């Protein structure tokens, strides 16, 4: 029997990069064991793998496979006494018994199931009949003791959705500059606390602005920082726009409150330390990845709306702390009115100095700027005309993705890669940084795959290495 088992082991391990040598009879027999449905048997067998019992927790696809440890802590445990660790919370490793799949109106588009299917493949989990997360620190109080579908979060925990308040830093004063629908805000905090906020900063980092609602519940809104630890001490910069429509009021409560702030002293607004940053599919951060991949000779940044703040932070580091080899830098940015272009003078100075190639995709008013900025507008117009006059030169897979009217930054980039000024570039030598609305995050990787000239597997592998987002 040893020979057939060895053959099975070889077949099972073939093509697996991370599988260990498993040629022994005992190892193969273990591998051939069926995966059982999670249940009471998981107690004391935490290292085992099991399949989620969908009568107790919905799941989809590969996410239905879980560990007995997670099942024990999410379903079998007494949730009234359990505390979810911050690591479990940030890894989306908890799915409390009785929790509900969050409704669409409860989630910003960027974190809906299409992008964030965790923890069980069907999307983030909420307290039943609520937009509140199923795991929160406040659920440890006596008032929540008999509420199904909730579990206490262990603090400290600085991550999206956490209501832990131990690292909140009060905002003292706000400066505000209106740019049409945009608002550029400078938030002032105590200088010694600013250093705590910026301790883990990277370009693309997010801060969460928080306040307590009328019921004393923490509500938050994430924003990308416009500059980093080299910025003015005691000051944070964010760019805001009108909140998305169609969301539950509690989801956009802080966003509306921030836009309604009057310049000057403020009370009741708090900010958490910076988290995340631009990372790729292997969870490597942008500048750490660039430093170890000298074959990358080009960085293309794709942005729209308020995403320009995160892009600006990346540009500041790219230009202020350059690599040991030359990098081309290109920015494709979409907005409605060119007169509302944020960071106008800064972008103009970078283009004039030859540091940056800029393409502006303007859907509305295109007049009101001059010189290199007007050239950037015309470059966007020329790309749109290229689509209208030379569509047959584009790959069929790309043509299917392109609209008949307005052109968006991600589509303009794909056209330039396929038949324009970047046609000699590829994901082998180009890193792509995305910061903007959900549609940008969703469509840019698809557009890049459509113009990739390699086989499908190689294109997917390169996309995982070369595409960076901050959410």
């Amino acid at each position: 029997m040893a020979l057939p088992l060895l053959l099975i082991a070889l077949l099972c391990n073939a093509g697996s990069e991370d599988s260990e040598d498993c040629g022994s009879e005992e190892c193969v027999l273990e591998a051939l064991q069926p995966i059982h449905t999670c249940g009471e048997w998981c107690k004391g067998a935490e290292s085992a793998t099991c399949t989620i019992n969908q009568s107790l927790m919905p799941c989809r696809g590969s996410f239905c496979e879980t560990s007995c440890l997670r099942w024990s802590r999410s379903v079998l445990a007494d949730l009234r006494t359990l505390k979810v660790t911050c690591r479990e919370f940030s890894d989306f490793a908890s799915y409390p018994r009785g929790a509900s799949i969050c409704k669409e109106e409860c989630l910003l588009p960027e974190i809906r199931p299409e992008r964030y299917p965790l923890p069980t493949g069907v999307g983030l989990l909420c307290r039943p009949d609520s937009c509140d997360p199923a795991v929160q620190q406040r659920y440890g109080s006596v008032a929540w003791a008999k509420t199904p579908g909730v579990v206490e979060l262990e603090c400290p925990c600085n991550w999206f959705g956490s209501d832990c308040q131990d690292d909140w830093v009060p905002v003292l004063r706000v400066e505000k500059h209106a740019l049409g629908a945009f608002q550029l805000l400078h938030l002032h905090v105590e200088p010694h606390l600013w250093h705590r906020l910026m301790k883990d900063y990277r370009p693309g980092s997010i801060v969460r602005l928080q306040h307590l609602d009328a019921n004393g519940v923490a509500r938050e809104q994430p924003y990308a920082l416009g500059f980093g630890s080299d910025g003015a001490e005691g000051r944070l910069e964010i760019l805001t726009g009108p909140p998305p429509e169609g969301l539950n009021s509690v989801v956009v409560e802080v966003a509306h409150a921030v836009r309604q702030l009057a310049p000057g002293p403020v009370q009741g607004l708090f900010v958490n330390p910076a988290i995340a940053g631009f990372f790729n599919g292997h969870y490597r951060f942008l500048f750490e990845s660039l430093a170890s991949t000298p074959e990358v000779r080009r960085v293309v940044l794709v942005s729209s709306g308020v995403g320009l703040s995160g892009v600006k932070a990346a540009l500041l580091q790219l230009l202020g702390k350059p690599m040991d080899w030359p990098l081309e830098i290109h920015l494709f940015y979409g907005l409605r009115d060119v007169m509302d272009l944020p960071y106008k003078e800064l972008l103009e100075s970078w283009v004039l100095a030859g540091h940056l190639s800029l393409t502006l995709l303007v859907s509305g008013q295109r007049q009101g700027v001059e010189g290199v900025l007007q050239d950037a507008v015309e470059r966007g117009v020329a790309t749109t005309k290229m689509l209208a006059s030379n569509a047959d030169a584009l790959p069929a897979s790309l043509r299917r993705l392109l609209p008949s009217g307005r052109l968006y930054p991600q589509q303009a980039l794909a056209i330039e890669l396929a038949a324009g000024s970047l046609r000699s570039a590829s994901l082998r030598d180009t890193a792509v940084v995305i910061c903007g609305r959900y549609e940008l995050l969703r469509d840019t990787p698809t557009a890049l795959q459509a113009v990739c000239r390699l086989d499908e597997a190689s294109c997917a592998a390169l996309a995982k290495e070369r595409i960076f987002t901050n959410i």
Side-chain angles (χ1 to χ4, degrees):
M1 185 173 178
L3 182 57
L5 282 173
L6 181 57
L7 289 173
I8 293 172
L10 291 172
L11 289 171
C12 290
N13 286 338
S16 175
E17 296 180 357
D18 55 358
S19 59
E20 296 179 0
D21 183 19
C22 188
S24 69
E25 182 173 333
E26 294 80 6
C27 180
V28 175
L29 286 172
E30 182 178 346
L32 293 176
Q33 290 299 314
I35 299 177
H36 296 290
T37 301
C38 304
E40 290 288 336
W41 66 270
C42 277
K43 291 180 179 178
E46 281 76 8
S47 63
T49 299
C50 62
T51 301
I52 288 175
N53 183 341
Q54 295 195 55
S55 67
L56 297 176
M57 177 58 60
C59 66
R60 183 174 296 151
S62 61
F63 292 96
C64 289
E65 188 173 308
T66 189
S67 70
C68 273
L69 176 61
R70 288 188 179 185
W71 182 259
S72 295
R73 287 182 57 79
S74 298
V75 177
L76 301 181
D78 183 353
L79 300 185
R80 295 171 298 178
T81 60
L82 181 73
K83 284 189 179 183
V84 170
T85 67
C86 187
R87 180 62 182 269
E88 289 175 311
F89 184 77
S90 61
D91 285 352
F92 306 100
S94 178
Y95 38 90
R97 180 182 67 253
S100 299
I101 303 167
C102 296
K103 298 176 183 177
E104 185 173 287
E105 67 174 22
C106 296
L107 299 173
L108 294 170
E110 296 82 3
I111 57 172
R112 288 176 182 164
E114 300 80 41
R115 295 196 74 243
Y116 277 84
L118 296 163
T120 65
V122 292
L124 302 180
L125 299 176
C126 283
R127 177 169 63 88
D129 301 316
S130 165
C131 283
D132 294 340
V135 180
Q136 294 283 270
Q137 182 272 334
R138 66 180 181 276
Y139 298 153
S141 66
V142 175
W144 295 97
K146 295 184 179 180
T147 303
V150 302
V151 65
E152 182 181 357
L153 172 63
E154 185 176 70
C155 295
C157 190
N158 179 32
W159 196 247
F160 301 101
S162 163
D163 66 339
C164 295
Q165 300 179 26
D166 46 293
D167 56 6
W168 283 18
V169 170
V171 176
L172 305 177
R173 183 167 57 87
V174 171
E175 297 176 35
K176 181 179 287 190
H177 307 279
L179 297 166
F182 299 130
Q183 292 181 358
L184 182 65
L185 274 71
H186 288 147
L187 312 174
H188 292 260
V189 299
E190 290 286 358
H192 70 283
L193 296 176
W194 179 86
H195 288 281
R196 190 210 304 173
L197 293 176
M198 303 302 291
K199 177 177 176 290
D200 294 320
Y201 169 83
R202 295 176 176 87
S205 278
I206 304 291
V207 291
R208 299 180 299 135
L209 292 189
Q210 305 252 15
H211 77 186
L212 296 176
D213 68 10
N215 298 313
V217 175
R219 303 295 180 193
E220 72 172 57
Q221 181 71 29
Y223 294 97
L225 285 172
F227 55 69
S229 53
D230 294 331
E233 187 178 62
R235 186 160 57 102
L236 305 169
E237 181 183 277
I238 61 171
L239 189 62
T240 79
E245 298 179 356
L247 294 175
N248 189 289
S249 60
V250 302
V251 179
V252 291
E253 181 177 311
V254 174
H256 283 296
V258 168
R259 288 180 62 81
Q260 292 164 10
L261 286 173
V266 296
Q267 289 185 330
L269 183 66
F270 304 88
V271 60
N272 291 92
I275 53 176
F278 290 121
F279 59 90
N280 65 12
H282 297 292
Y283 300 100
R284 293 192 67 197
F285 288 107
L286 174 63
F287 287 90
E288 287 87 338
S289 178
L290 288 178
S292 62
T293 50
E295 62 269 27
V296 171
R297 298 287 170 160
R298 186 180 298 102
V299 177
V300 178
L301 305 110
V302 189
S303 182
S304 63
V306 300
L308 193 58
S309 59
V311 161
K312 176 203 169 191
L315 285 168
L316 284 171
Q317 182 151 335
L318 280 168
L319 299 176
K321 299 177 181 177
M323 297 290 116
D324 294 333
W325 54 89
L327 280 175
E328 291 179 23
I329 302 176
H330 303 262
L331 170 59
F332 291 78
Y333 178 64
L335 74 167
R336 289 196 177 93
D337 188 335
V338 73
M339 289 295 291
D340 300 336
L341 177 63
Y343 314 122
K344 197 177 299 181
E345 293 79 11
L346 185 60
L347 291 172
E348 183 178 33
S349 68
W350 284 337
V351 175
L352 284 170
H355 297 320
L356 173 70
S357 168
L358 176 63
T359 301
L360 295 175
L361 288 302
V362 184
S363 61
Q365 174 61 37
R366 296 192 179 102
Q367 303 301 316
V369 293
E370 300 176 344
V372 293
L373 295 182
Q374 186 59 38
D375 293 343
V377 174
E378 294 303 324
R379 193 173 293 113
V381 172
T383 305
T384 305
K385 290 179 179 178
M386 185 193 307
L387 171 62
S389 63
N390 200 25
D392 290 342
L394 302 176
S397 55
L398 176 59
R399 291 201 301 272
R400 289 192 291 269
L401 302 174
L402 297 176
S404 57
R406 176 183 177 184
L407 199 64
Y408 294 89
Q410 64 272 29
Q411 298 152 346
L413 167 60
I415 290 172
E416 293 294 335
L417 286 167
S421 61
L422 294 175
R423 58 185 174 276
S424 64
S426 74
L427 285 177
R428 282 177 170 156
D429 59 13
T430 304
V432 179
V433 179
I434 310 169
C435 194
R437 296 174 65 90
Y438 164 68
E439 294 80 8
L440 196 73
L441 297 165
R442 178 194 64 196
D443 295 343
T444 304
T446 305
L448 291 174
Q449 294 265 27
V451 298
C452 183
R453 301 177 184 94
L454 304 173
D455 63 87
E456 186 176 346
S458 298
C459 289
L462 276 172
K464 196 169 184 179
E465 291 181 10
R466 300 287 193 260
I467 297 176
F468 296 81
T469 66
N470 63 348
I471 188 169

